[in-house]
Amino acid sequence: MKITLDEEKCCGAGQCVLAAPELFDQREEDGIAVLLHPYADSEQHESVREAAMVCPGQAISIEGSP
């Protein structure tokens, strides 16, 4: 599963970090999300889908999800 994060759409709510802390972090200076790994393994698919679903800015895109 490939993950894309559009930083321009990110509002810094941090919901992705709560849903998938192994894949997302936030910049300290402005709270904008940072994608730590562009690919999720099968064990992370559910948390990535949740992160994308709860993102208020709809900044997370997923490709290749089962």
Side-chain angles (χ1 to χ4, degrees):
M1 172 184 289
K2 182 178 180 190
I3 309 162
T4 306
L5 174 67
D6 185 342
E7 292 182 9
E8 296 294 319
K9 291 182 177 180
C10 179
C11 65
Q15 296 302 307
C16 58
V17 179
L18 294 173
E22 65 281 358
L23 297 169
F24 297 95
D25 201 355
Q26 287 180 281
R27 297 191 304 226
E28 290 201 22
E29 63 271 10
D30 58 7
I32 297 300
V34 176
L35 183 60
L36 300 174
H37 304 285
Y39 292 94
D41 61 32
S42 60
E43 296 169 355
Q44 298 167 321
H45 287 187
E46 185 176 333
S47 62
V48 171
R49 283 192 292 272
E50 180 181 346
M53 184 177 68
V54 299
C55 177
Q58 298 180 338
I60 301 169
S61 299
I62 301 169
E63 295 177 38
S65 59

